[in-house]
Amino acid sequence: MEINLYLLLALIAALLVIGYLSAKLYRVRGQLSLIKDALADIKSGNLNRRVLARESDLTKQICYDINEIAMDSQSRLIQQKQSEQAYKRLMTSLSHDVKTPLASLVGYLEAVESKMVTGAEQEEYIRVATEKAHHLKNFVTALFEWVKLDAGEQIFHFELCDLNELSRNIMADWVSLLESHDLSYEIAIPETEYMTRLDPTAYTRILNNLLQNILAHSNARQMSLTVIETEQQAKITVADDGKGISATDLPHIFERMYQCDHSRSARGNGLGLSIAKELVSVHKGTITAASVPGAGTTFTIIIPKAL
């Protein structure tokens, strides 16, 4: 009798186990069916599809991985569309920033070559043609740099540099140009040595782009460059007292091909600030802008100190 009781208990336990496993198997089959449908949906292009899973599901990790793949693919698709839009804007910009000045340049040169103008007027035509040629050269240079950065093909050469000395050398090259534009300046760079890892060419390009932006767009009468050191980072500020940037434009100024004032688009190409931001990022730093319309703009660069 006691043996029969044990057998009955064992049978009941076995039935419970079978029932539990059957329920689990049923749940797994249901999950596999959902996974199959989700994969077919994702494959057809619906990257918004997700597979829900409970913490106790045996297939939860597979569901999580599928969801992650879908989100990554969706993110890459968004980036691809943004890149396509950027290239479309680039093509639109090229029609103005290259074709129009180039046609004008050819017109001025043809007038000079055909002797349609002489004397002082000829000299003025040559001056304007030279100015337009330099604009085209600068645009093409910026364009090639932008394409290299976008494609990840730009090669950087980082070395241990004295940031203060490099900043002084850059500003020394700008003094005559600032003075020729009747732009007063204040430069505050510590005399102490501040060693950090930089690509000297890239850092020079960053400051050059910011300074060129002041000359081209700010209508400022005064500018300043200040370097402040800490043990962890260097803060470089470039400020002007110009017309400033509107609250509408300010969030977009680092976007590629963005131009605040389209009526003056021939004076810029919408690449300088975006290139500066890319180059700051390469140095693991940040760049921000603050502006008050009618009172000026301040760019702040933070570059971490080399360990």
Side-chain angles (χ1 to χ4, degrees):
M1 185 70 178
E2 185 176 347
I3 294 175
N4 289 336
L5 181 59
Y6 286 144
L7 290 174
L8 180 61
L9 291 174
L11 180 59
I12 292 173
L15 290 174
L16 290 174
V17 171
I18 291 173
Y20 173 78
L21 292 177
S22 297
K24 278 287 187 182
L25 180 60
Y26 180 79
R27 176 67 181 172
V28 168
R29 290 177 64 183
Q31 282 293 105
L32 290 176
S33 179
L34 289 175
I35 289 172
K36 180 181 177 182
D37 291 342
L39 287 174
D41 206 11
I42 292 171
K43 184 179 179 181
S44 67
N46 181 14
L47 298 179
N48 291 315
R49 181 66 183 269
R50 301 290 183 267
V51 186
L52 300 179
R54 297 182 301 195
E55 186 64 29
S56 59
D57 288 337
L58 296 176
T59 58
K60 66 177 182 180
Q61 189 57 52
I62 296 175
C63 295
Y64 295 160
D65 290 343
I66 291 174
N67 292 340
E68 185 175 353
I69 290 172
M71 288 187 290
D72 288 345
S73 298
Q74 190 174 42
S75 177
R76 285 195 295 270
L77 181 61
I78 292 173
Q79 292 176 356
Q80 180 182 349
K81 289 182 178 179
Q82 290 175 339
S83 180
E84 289 174 355
Q85 291 173 354
Y87 277 108
K88 287 180 181 179
R89 291 195 301 270
L90 175 62
M91 294 301 105
T92 302
S93 178
L94 280 174
S95 67
H96 183 276
D97 290 322
V98 173
K99 288 184 179 179
T100 303
L102 184 59
S104 178
L105 172 62
V106 171
Y108 277 102
L109 293 178
E110 286 179 345
V112 172
E113 185 181 28
S114 62
K115 310 297 184 182
M116 291 176 58
V117 291
T118 58
E121 190 177 9
Q122 183 184 68
E123 292 180 2
E124 177 63 14
Y125 269 49
I126 293 174
R127 185 194 67 78
V128 174
T130 301
E131 182 179 296
K132 291 184 178 296
H134 281 299
H135 167 74
L136 287 172
K137 175 180 177 292
N138 293 336
F139 179 80
V140 171
T141 299
L143 178 61
F144 281 140
E145 186 168 7
W146 180 77
V147 170
K148 281 186 177 181
L149 287 170
D150 188 64
E153 296 177 353
Q154 184 82 306
I155 299 175
F156 297 98
H157 301 282
F158 288 91
E159 56 188 76
L160 202 58
C161 298
D162 181 353
L163 181 141
N164 290 334
E165 181 181 5
L166 180 57
S167 299
R168 282 192 294 270
N169 291 338
I170 295 170
M171 293 309 300
D173 291 336
W174 272 88
V175 166
S176 60
L177 188 57
L178 295 175
E179 291 177 346
S180 68
H181 283 77
D182 295 323
L183 192 63
S184 61
Y185 52 88
E186 181 179 347
I187 301 172
I189 302 174
E191 294 295 332
T192 56
E193 186 179 77
Y194 192 85
M195 303 302 295
T196 188
R197 294 194 68 82
L198 296 170
D199 179 310
T201 301
Y203 179 73
T204 301
R205 182 66 160 159
I206 293 167
L207 293 191
N208 284 349
N209 284 10
L210 294 181
L211 294 168
Q212 185 59 46
N213 187 72
I214 292 175
L215 291 184
H217 304 300
S218 71
N219 293 336
R221 305 316 310 159
Q222 184 175 1
M223 63 78 57
S224 66
L225 182 138
T226 306
V227 177
I228 299 176
E229 314 166 348
T230 71
E231 292 183 1
Q232 292 78 32
Q233 62 191 23
K235 181 169 77 171
I236 303 101
T237 58
V238 179
D240 67 69
D241 65 348
K243 66 180 183 178
I245 302 169
S246 71
T248 302
D249 289 320
L250 191 60
H252 305 289
I253 60 173
F254 293 110
E255 295 176 6
R256 293 168 179 174
M257 308 307 299
Y258 189 84
Q259 294 172 314
C260 297
D261 188 345
H262 297 282
S263 67
R264 294 183 299 103
S265 59
R267 297 180 63 190
N269 50 51
L271 293 174
L273 293 181
S274 66
I275 289 174
K277 183 177 182 180
E278 294 280 354
L279 295 177
V280 170
S281 297
V282 168
H283 288 83
K284 309 300 181 185
T286 61
I287 180 171
T288 56
S291 187
V292 177
T297 303
T298 299
F299 291 94
T300 302
I301 303 168
I302 303 293
I303 295 181
K305 182 174 174 61
L307 300 179

